[in-house]
Amino acid sequence: MPFTTRAHALLTTCTTITTVVLTGCGIAGPSAPDDKFAGCYDNSCVDAPMLVSAAPPLASLSAGTSHTCGLTAAGEAWCWGDNTLGALGEGSDALRTGPVQVSGALRFASIAAGRHVTCGITLDQAAYCWGLASGGQIAQLVPDRCGTSGALCARQPLRIGTMRATAIAAGTRHVCALDTSGTAYCWGFNFLGETGGSDFGTTTFVPRRVTAAEPFVAIGAGDSYTCARTAAGRVSCWGSAGRGELGRAGVSCTSVLAGVTNLCSPTPAPVNSAVSFASVSVGNSHSCAIASSAEVLCWGDNGQGQLGTGEYRNADTPVRAFGGKTFVAIAASGGATCGTPVTGPTVCWGLNQWGKLGIGQRLDLSPTPRETAGGRRFVTIAASENHLCALTADGATYCWGLGAQGQLGAGPRTR
């Protein structure tokens, strides 16, 4: 899930390693590059950037598993998509195919959408979360229940204690924030150390202080790991390391509750690189960062070519993407990566399931960058497991990928 800064994220697929032409998952057929839905495996996705016409001009975006949120320049929060567990924060649990404003008249400096949960930092540095609460993501017990499962939830923003925060990130089952001193605090499910503790497989409803050698200025949360960046550009990660997510080697550890043995480290330590990073995007199981030189380095899961190395081996050390091509924006998705080069339109590479490369074609995957359909240049890109949204320089919002729960801002599409 996306990084946030002081100024202001495990797929099962039936794809193959080779680049092929598909009409469905594993079914070959004729190419139809002009078909807006050609890369989609059902009628609930869009494989080319689509304007979210109902969205107000936005200054920032965050994409959760099945919902999307953004902020206006004034700090108003707008969300759309799956609201079954209250993740849109507008007081109901009704699905919204278009943007709705988060209730409470709050003004936010940053916002982070995760899996069925959303969190934000207000202009006066208060931390709030809303949505699913049964896994500790709201950092408190709540009385409300949502959905057919009756899960604990909060339909409106709830304040996280008395924390004064500068950044926040929502992962798959956990949330982390930075306080005003740059100290990281995490809460939720601690599968393999992503909340900074060695009590693997447990849930904490109280923000836990994460012990680190240096203060941080930005933080991001993935599936079962967390990464944070210092002012000097050093990136440290903690949590699961089974696919190289930490950018360094992990050690064997067992999540007792889940009965899973994997590589992990609950203690933050720098990724295995001397490069200074200007920004980092944390995806489900891989991360990509822009160095001070504007080169992109990535690490973690590379099963779909999302690291940009032209091969499919995982990397537990940051590796340069595309021979050092330079970028100004980067976003790590589930099995894919999108970025905006220093010059030219936005490009994507990796897994194209649900059309999330945005290239308007039926390619299964692409280990090399492909220009998004329409040739637009996006200044901000927000990525989740199965969909992406992005902003143009004038604040227009575009989305593509899976849209079955309304996360694209226009409802399910039909041919």
Side-chain angles (χ1 to χ4, degrees):
M1 303 302 170
F3 251 77
T4 58
T5 67
R6 289 184 188 274
H8 308 330
L10 178 63
L11 293 175
T12 300
T13 69
C14 46
T15 61
T16 62
I17 292 301
T18 56
T19 300
V20 296
V21 176
L22 300 181
T23 56
C25 199
I27 304 173
S31 176
D34 295 329
D35 181 355
K36 186 176 182 182
F37 304 93
C40 297
Y41 302 153
D42 64 16
N43 292 335
S44 297
C45 56
V46 172
D47 63 4
M50 177 183 65
L51 178 67
V52 183
S53 58
L58 297 176
S60 64
L61 278 174
S62 182
T65 298
S66 53
H67 71 292
T68 309
C69 293
L71 298 179
T72 66
E76 295 176 345
W78 293 79
C79 298
W80 57 92
D82 184 13
N83 196 32
T84 307
L85 298 172
L88 305 190
E90 45 77 85
S92 79
D93 51 12
L95 181 147
R96 303 293 186 180
T97 60
V100 292
Q101 191 168 359
V102 174
S103 64
L106 298 168
R107 294 293 182 268
F108 293 93
S110 64
I111 197 164
R115 179 172 290 178
H116 304 305
V117 68
T118 308
C119 297
I121 304 297
T122 61
L123 297 178
D124 60 357
Q125 299 183 323
Y128 286 81
C129 290
W130 55 95
L132 180 64
S134 57
Q137 300 95 322
I138 310 297
Q140 57 196 286
L141 293 171
V142 297
D144 291 341
R145 294 185 178 274
C146 293
T148 57
S149 64
L152 295 173
C153 71
R155 295 182 178 88
Q156 300 182 48
L158 294 180
R159 184 160 181 184
I160 309 301
T162 59
M163 177 183 293
R164 311 298 297 181
T166 59
I168 199 162
T172 300
R173 295 170 295 269
H174 73 294
V175 177
C176 293
L178 301 180
D179 71 5
T180 54
S181 72
T183 300
Y185 287 83
C186 298
W187 57 93
F189 188 53
N190 188 52
F191 183 56
L192 287 169
E194 58 265 45
T195 67
S198 57
D199 50 346
F200 310 127
T202 63
T203 299
T204 174
F205 286 84
V206 178
R208 185 211 313 261
R209 179 172 180 164
V210 180
T211 302
E214 298 180 86
F216 299 116
V217 298
I219 194 162
D223 187 2
S224 300
Y225 74 110
T226 308
C227 295
R229 182 175 61 85
T230 69
R234 285 182 289 272
V235 173
S236 291
C237 301
W238 59 97
S240 174
R243 287 169 286 184
E245 298 97 318
L246 304 189
R248 66 181 196 280
V251 298
S252 180
C253 54
T254 301
S255 183
V256 178
L257 180 64
V260 174
T261 299
N262 203 338
L263 298 176
C264 79
S265 174
T267 304
V271 298
N272 197 8
S273 174
V275 172
S276 175
F277 295 106
S279 65
V280 186
S281 176
V282 177
N284 269 37
S285 54
H286 82 289
S287 296
C288 289
I290 297 178
S292 55
S293 64
E295 294 177 302
V296 169
L297 284 81
C298 301
W299 61 92
D301 185 8
N302 195 31
Q304 289 80 39
Q306 60 264 52
L307 301 190
T309 61
E311 56 184 16
Y312 303 92
R313 290 182 295 181
N314 296 347
D316 61 6
T317 295
V319 291
R320 278 181 170 79
F322 312 121
K325 289 183 179 180
T326 52
F327 286 76
V328 296
I330 200 76
S333 178
T337 307
C338 291
T340 301
V342 171
T343 59
T346 296
V347 296
C348 296
W349 59 92
L351 183 65
N352 195 35
Q353 186 182 33
W354 309 119
K356 63 188 175 184
L357 294 189
I359 59 177
Q361 296 183 21
R362 303 182 185 202
L363 291 178
D364 177 20
L365 55 81
S366 176
T368 57
R370 296 181 63 87
E371 185 178 311
T372 52
R376 296 177 185 85
R377 180 176 173 83
F378 296 112
V379 297
T380 298
I381 310 168
S384 76
E385 290 101 318
N386 295 315
H387 83 286
L388 297 93
C389 292
L391 297 175
T392 59
D394 60 359
T397 302
Y398 287 80
C399 294
W400 62 95
L402 182 64
Q405 284 78 46
Q407 59 265 52
L408 302 185
R413 310 293 290 180
T414 58
R415 294 182 189 273

